[in-house]
Amino acid sequence: MKQILIVDDSRTVRDSLKFFLKEGGYDVLEGADGVEALKVLETARPNLIITDVNMPNMDGLTLLENVRKSPDHKFIPVLVLTTESQQSIMEKGKALGATGWIVKPFDSQKVLAVIKKVLGG
Amino acid sequence: MGEGKKMNQYLTFTVSEEAYALNVLNVREVLEFTQLSKVPRMPEFMRGIINLRGSIVPVIDLKLKFGLGLTEKTIDTSIIVCEMVMDEETIVMGLMTDSVKEVIDLDDDDIEPTPYVGAKIDTAFILGMGKKDDKFLIVLNMEKVLTANELNMVSTAEISGE
Amino acid sequence: MDQFKQVFVEEAEELLGTLEDNLLVLEDSPDDRDLIDAVFRVMHTIKGSAAMFDFKGIVDFTHVVESVLDRVRNGELTVSHELIDLTLKSRDHIQSMIGSPSDVTPEHEATSAVLIGALEKLAGTEKKAPLPSVKKVQNDEDVECYSLYRILFIPDREIFFSGTNLIALLEELQDLGEYSCYAYTSSIPSLAEYNPEMSYIRWEIYLTTKASLNAVKDVFIFVESSCELEISSLVEASELPDCLGEEKRLGEILIGRGLITPEELSDVLSTQKPVGQIMMENGLVSSTDVESALHQQQTERKLREKQGGERENTIRVKSEKLDSLVDSVGELVTAQARLSQISSQYDDPSLNALAELIERLSTELRDNAMGLRMVPIGTTFSRFKRLVRDLSNSLGKEMTLVTRGGETELDKSVIDKLNDPLVHLIRNSIDHGIEAPEIRAEAGKKREGTVSLVADYSGANVIIQIKDDGAGLDRERILAKGREKGLVGPDENLNENEIFKLILQPGFSTAQKITDVSGRGVGMDVVSKEIESLGGSIFITSTVGKGTTISLSLPLTLAIIEGLLVRIGDEKFVIPLASVQACLELGQEDREAHREKRLFPFRGGMVPYIRLRELFLDRRELPDREHLVVTQTENGIFGIVVDEVIGDYQTVIKNLGRLYKNLQLITGATILGDGTMALILDLNKITALAKVESTASL
C-alpha cells in the first residue's frame, strides 16, 4: 500500500485529507508542521508528501528544501497545498523542487486525481 | 364445422400395452431411446435428462409415473418431447413410452369424459377416453401429467437449516 | 477518473436514447403521466451525474430543462408540440455537450442561451432582461470527434529532483486515448558519464483522443516549467472528413517535417526499394526518423478507422439476441469438442489441421460472444446516488455515497439481477448502520455517514463491497437472538462470520423499531437467496462503532464455469474449480482407517469427508479406489469423495429448467465433448445437507 505524509497545521484539513486518502486506498502519516514532518521522515520513507505552505515552526517551502537536500528523500514527490490566489507560491514551490500542487478547496476526486497524476495508477 | 364439433390431431402411443393419445399441439418431436443422465435425489419416475441438440430436457418415465414399473429399453422405446405453457413459462419435457404409433384425427365428440375407476386412482391427467376404430384410447391432459407439487419438485430430502 | 467519465458519457447517451423515444411517444399521448415522469427523470439523472464531475455547462443547461419539465409534471404546463420540439432540441444539444463535457465551447454556450430563452418563454418564466445577442444556432451535427496530437516532450535533465514520476505522466496520457510512444535514446551518454539521477530521454508521443488540446496540456501542468514541450494537432477533427479519402504518405510526412525536400523525395521514388529504406541508405534521414514517421503514418491510419468506425458502427442489440448467440456458441464449442475427439482417432493430417482451426476459431468466437455481454457495473452504481439522497433525507441522516471500481465488468445477466439485492443492502446500511447525525457527533465521528460501493476483480470473481462507517453489528445481540429463535444450539460455538450470517436468515431482524425503509423482516434472506442463485456468496465483517462491510463475491459470468470433471458410476459431475484445493486418492486402507469418523488428515488437521454416492442415495457397491477432492465451502473445508477425478474442464452452463428449479444440490448441467451431460454441483448446499444428515443419523 502506498504511503502518504500529510503536513498541515489545520486539523480539519488533515482529517479530511486523511479520509479521502484512506478511502482511496492509501496509508497515511501526519505531521502538523515542517518540524514534525521531518521527525516523521527520520523513520519513514513515504511515497508522497502533501504539505501546506503557511505553518508554524517550519513552513512548507522550507520543509520542501530540506526534503530535496536529504539523500534518502530527495526524489519523493511533494505536492503543495495552495489557493487560487497564491500563484506566486506555485512558482516558488516549483523552483524549490515541488512536484505539483493541489488547489484548495478540494474534494476527494480532485485530490485523488492529482495524486494519481503524480504517483501513477 | 359445426359448433362443439372440432377436429384435432392426436399422437398415439403405448405404455404397458395400453393405448394413449396426446394432442399434437403439445408434441415437438419424437426421439428414439437415448442416453440419460440421472439427476440425484429426484423421484424415480424422473428418469433423468437428455441432451437435445444442446438443450437439457428432463425425461419422465410414464410407466413409473403410473405405477406400472420401469420402462425397459427396447427397439420401440421412444421419448415424446412435448411442451406446455405454465405460468407464462414454456416447459419442455420428454415422456418415455413403450412405443409410438401414429397420428390420428379425433372429433371432440369422440372423446368421452373419464369413467369413474375408483377413488384410489388419480385421473386428473386423463382428459377423457377416445374411441377410434372401436378401440379405446386414453387421452392425456398434458397440463396435469405432473401435479403442482411435482412441478415445483423439491429434492426428496429437504435441506433445512444451514 | 477517466473511466468514471466514460461511464457518465455512456450512461448519459443511453438515457438520451430513451428520452428521444419517450418524447416521440409522448407527443401522441400527451397525458401519459408515466412518460412525463420518465422524461423528467432523464434530465434529473443527467444533471446529477454531470454535477459529480463539475460539468458546469451541462449542469446549468439541464437544470433549466429539468425545471420546465417539473412544471409539466406538476400540471402547470401542458405537453404541446412546441414543448416536445424544444425538449428534443435540448436533448440533441445535451448530447453534443456530452461529447466533451468538461470543455464546453462558446458555440455550446450560445446554443444553451438560445434554448434556455425559448424554454423560459414557453414556460412563462422568462426574465425581464433582454437575452444577450447570440450567434445563430448552428447545425447540431457536432459529432464527438477524435483528434490526433503529436507531443514532443523533452524533460529537463534534473526533472527527477522535483519528484516527478515520468511513468505516471505517460500513463496519464495513455488514459486519454489511443497512445503510441517513441523514446529517443540517442542522448543517453556512455556509462562512464551516465548519471542515473538524470533524465536523458526525449519522448515523442502520438495520441488519438477525444480530449481537447487544453486537456492534453493539463497533463503536463506540473512539469511545464521543467521541460521542453511541443503539442501539435496533426489531424484535427474538423479537417478529418477532407483527408478521410487519402492518407499522408511517408514521404509527405518527412517533407512536412522539413527533413527532406520534395526533389529529394522524387529522386528516391524513381528507384524501386521501399521509401524509408532508400532514404536511410541515402543518408537523408536517420533510421529513428523513419521509424517515428512510420509511427505517425500508422497512427493516422488507425485514427481514420476509429473515426469511421465509431461514428456508424455502434448499434443497440436486444439482450435476448446476445443470449441466443451465446447459446449457439455454446453448442458450437460442444460440437467442436466432439470434432476434436473424433479427429484424434483418425490419423489424418488434413482432418487434424481442420479440427485445430475450428477449435481456435470457436474459442475466439466464444470469448468474443462472452465479451459482448460484459458491461461495467458503474451505471448500476450511479443509480444509487438518488436512492441514498432520498433515503437519508427521509430518515434524517446525513449521507454520502462513495463508489469505486465502476469500470469493473460483469455479465449483463448478473448485473441485471444484482440491482435489487444492492438496493436492499444499501437501504439496510443507511437505515440500521449509519447513526443519526447527533449520535455520530457524540461518538466523535463526522456527522455525515458514508456508504461506499466498491467493485473489484478477484480471479474469476468480482467482489462487490457495501461498506458503511456506522454503528456496526452487535455480535452478542445477534447471537442471543439466534439462540432465542433456535437457529443456534445452546452449546454451538460460531465464529464471527457465522454469527453475522445469522442476519441472512428468514425473519431475522434485530432492529428494535420497524422503520418505513427496512426492518420489516423480509429482505436479507431474499438478498442471500438471490446472491446464491447467481452462484455468489456473502461475507460480513463488522466492528462495533466503526461500521459494517458486506462483501458479495460473484462469478464474472453465469454462462461459463471452470470446473473439475469427476465421475460417480456412469454419471459425470462438475465441481467448480474455484473451490477446489487439492485432489487426493482414497484407497481401501484409508477408508478403513477413517471409517468411523469420516475424517482424513489434510495439511496437518483432520477434515471431514462426504461420499457423494451416499449423499445421492446411490446404493451400488463402492469401487476399490476412490478419489477425494478437497474443497473450500461456506461451511468450511470438506473432502468430496468421488469414483474418479477426470480433469479440468471449462464448460458452458445450461439451465436445468423449471422441473428442477428447486433442486438445490445441482446448479445446472453441461454438455461434454461426446454429447453426454455432466451435472454441476453446488458445494455449499451439498456440505450443508451432509451436515444436517450426519447430525440426524447420530
Side-chain angles (χ1 to χ4, degrees), chain C residues 256-315:
Chain C
R257 291 179 173 197
L259 290 164
I260 56 167
T261 65
E263 291 74 37
E264 284 168 325
L265 176 67
S266 60
D267 279 354
V268 287
L269 277 180
S270 56
T271 64
Q272 294 291 316
K273 295 186 199 169
V275 179
Q277 191 192 337
I278 301 158
M279 288 190 210
M280 264 159 18
E281 285 171 12
N282 290 334
L284 292 175
V285 292
S286 77
S287 63
T288 329
D289 289 329
V290 172
E291 263 181 65
S292 147
L294 278 172
H295 231 106
Q296 177 179 343
Q297 192 183 30
Q298 239 176 33
T299 315
E300 286 186 9
R301 195 175 289 160
K302 267 200 211 144
L303 170 69
R304 262 183 207 84
E305 283 166 11
K306 198 167 190 169
Q307 198 83 48
E310 282 206 14
R311 253 189 216 166
E312 296 153 16
N313 290 344
T314 314
I315 52 167

Side-chain angles (χ1 to χ4, degrees), chain A residues 18-81:
Chain A
K18 189 160 131 187
F19 177 74
F20 292 157
L21 297 180
K22 290 213 158 153
E23 281 297 301
Y26 296 102
D27 190 20
V28 177
L29 299 171
E30 291 175 77
D33 58 40
V35 176
E36 280 191 19
L38 287 177
K39 193 141 223 151
V40 173
L41 288 173
E42 279 172 22
T43 53
R45 205 172 169 288
N47 302 76
L48 171 70
I49 301 169
I50 300 176
T51 178
D52 191 23
V53 180
N54 293 317
M55 291 181 294
N57 301 324
M58 184 196 285
D59 68 26
L61 295 181
T62 317
L63 168 66
L64 175 60
E65 274 182 283
N66 277 293
V67 168
R68 289 286 171 253
K69 271 190 260 170
S70 150
D72 281 345
H73 302 103
K74 60 181 171 185
F75 293 124
I76 295 179
V78 178
L79 290 171
V80 177
L81 288 166

Side-chain angles (χ1 to χ4, degrees), chain C residues 20 27-28 67 88 105 143 151 153 179 207 279 282 293 301 412 426 461 468 527 581 600 688 691:
Chain C
E20 184 163 38
E27 186 157 32
D28 294 331
S67 22
L88 276 172
T105 63
V143 199
I151 301 161
F153 173 45
Y179 155 108
L207 182 66
M279 288 190 210
N282 290 334
R301 195 175 289 160
K412 180 138 186 8
I426 292 172
N461 289 311
D468 68 62
V527 169
Q581 305 232 317
F600 70 97
K691 260 185 164 175

